[in-house]
Amino acid sequence: MLLGMPQWAQAGLWGLVSGSALLMGALMGYFLSVPQRLIAGVMAFGSGVLFSALSFELMDEAYHTGGFVATGGGFLGGALLYSGANYVLSHRGAKHRKRSGEEHPKESDQPGSGLAIAVGALLDGIPESIVIGLSLLGGKGVSMVAVIAVFLSNIPEGLSSAAGMKKAGRSMGYVLGVWLGIALISGLAALLGYSVFQDYPNAVIAATTALAAGAILAMLVDTMIPEAFSETREFAGLLTVLGFLVAFVLSKWEG
């Protein structure tokens, strides 16, 4: 806990810290020539980290807070909401927004795809940030496992997507502007996650936490895993397991 800082401010700060990894990754992806295989490997590791965090941090916490009905309903609802929004955005040019290769459409080939990619990137980041704010409820302090998990997974997300955007001819202003904006919104989302839900009953908090977990899991399978597997292939599973193990150890260490 940050001494002297109100919890709503802590929520915003930790959300901003985790979101800043997106901008860090984007800077590396845009200005450095990072091999696609390395990007995919880091993506696989980051996927494993998030798999572990949503299993041992989010779903477990939601279940103990609000029970099975609230947790199960929220989890399925989050997946449905994310999948529906992702379906719409994918058909407007955002399908490959996390890919580092040549899959990104050019604006001239698919008008409006730039906006769809930006909205898609925002869709991917909001659930993770809200969870950070929710973890502060109850006065226990922020879940550092959640912060670390989101931070570690955000670096390859920003890196891979920025590399792909650059290959599609997107301007530096567009690429960095998207990720700077999402980093700032991440802080705001975490702040809202704490401020909006602090007076709600446990069942609502549990359902919201599980909803975010469902959205994150759907996002992993729809956007991160394809990029991870595309280049690492036979090593994707091993790298994902390593990421899962790191987050699992952090979870038990913090507990």
Side-chain angles (χ1 to χ4, degrees):
M1 181 177 294
L2 300 174
L3 295 178
M5 182 179 289
Q7 289 201 314
W8 62 265
Q10 291 183 45
L13 176 62
W14 288 120
L16 185 61
V17 167
S18 63
S20 69
L22 289 167
L23 183 59
M24 289 172 55
L27 287 167
M28 290 188 286
Y30 196 89
F31 291 108
L32 301 178
S33 181
V34 184
Q36 281 186 254
R37 193 171 177 83
L38 177 59
I39 295 174
V42 178
M43 188 75 83
F45 182 87
S47 297
V49 169
L50 277 182
F51 274 127
S52 181
L54 70 88
S55 299
F56 296 103
E57 289 290 309
L58 307 188
M59 289 299 287
D60 192 56
E61 178 66 23
Y63 174 74
H64 285 100
T65 299
F68 180 77
V69 174
T71 301
F75 191 60
L76 182 59
L80 287 170
L81 286 172
Y82 177 88
S83 297
N86 188 53
Y87 177 84
V88 173
L89 291 168
S90 293
H91 284 76
R92 284 165 171 72
K95 182 177 182 180
H96 301 297
R97 59 186 178 273
K98 291 236 175 65
R99 306 301 293 269
S100 58
E102 307 288 346
E103 297 88 353
H104 282 251
K106 294 179 172 62
E107 190 69 23
S108 57
D109 296 332
Q110 191 167 2
S113 59
L115 177 61
I117 291 170
V119 175
L122 183 62
L123 173 69
D124 297 338
I126 291 298
E128 301 169 347
S129 302
I130 290 175
V131 161
I132 290 173
L134 290 173
S135 73
L136 276 156
L137 296 175
K140 298 179 295 184
V142 72
S143 169
M144 290 309 300
V145 174
V147 172
I148 293 170
V150 174
F151 187 92
L152 290 178
S153 64
N154 276 347
I155 291 176
E157 284 187 52
L159 197 161
S160 179
S161 186
M165 290 177 183
K166 182 180 180 181
K167 290 177 182 177
R170 306 283 177 187
S171 69
M172 179 179 68
Y174 168 84
V175 175
L176 300 185
V178 164
W179 294 112
L180 174 60
I182 295 173
L184 294 174
I185 293 172
S186 295
L188 178 61
L191 187 155
L192 291 175
Y194 173 80
S195 301
V196 171
F197 292 96
Q198 60 179 325
D199 296 322
Y200 278 74
N202 286 342
V204 174
I205 295 172
T208 305
T209 301
L211 186 145
I216 292 170
L217 182 55
M219 179 273 291
L220 283 169
V221 176
D222 287 349
T223 65
M224 289 184 70
I225 293 299
E227 171 66 12
F229 183 74
S230 67
E231 296 293 330
T232 55
R233 298 284 179 179
E234 63 274 11
F235 296 108
L238 175 60
L239 291 168
T240 303
V241 167
L242 288 174
F244 187 100
L245 181 60
V246 167
F248 176 75
V249 170
L250 288 173
S251 177
K252 298 307 177 185
W253 189 15
E254 184 184 53

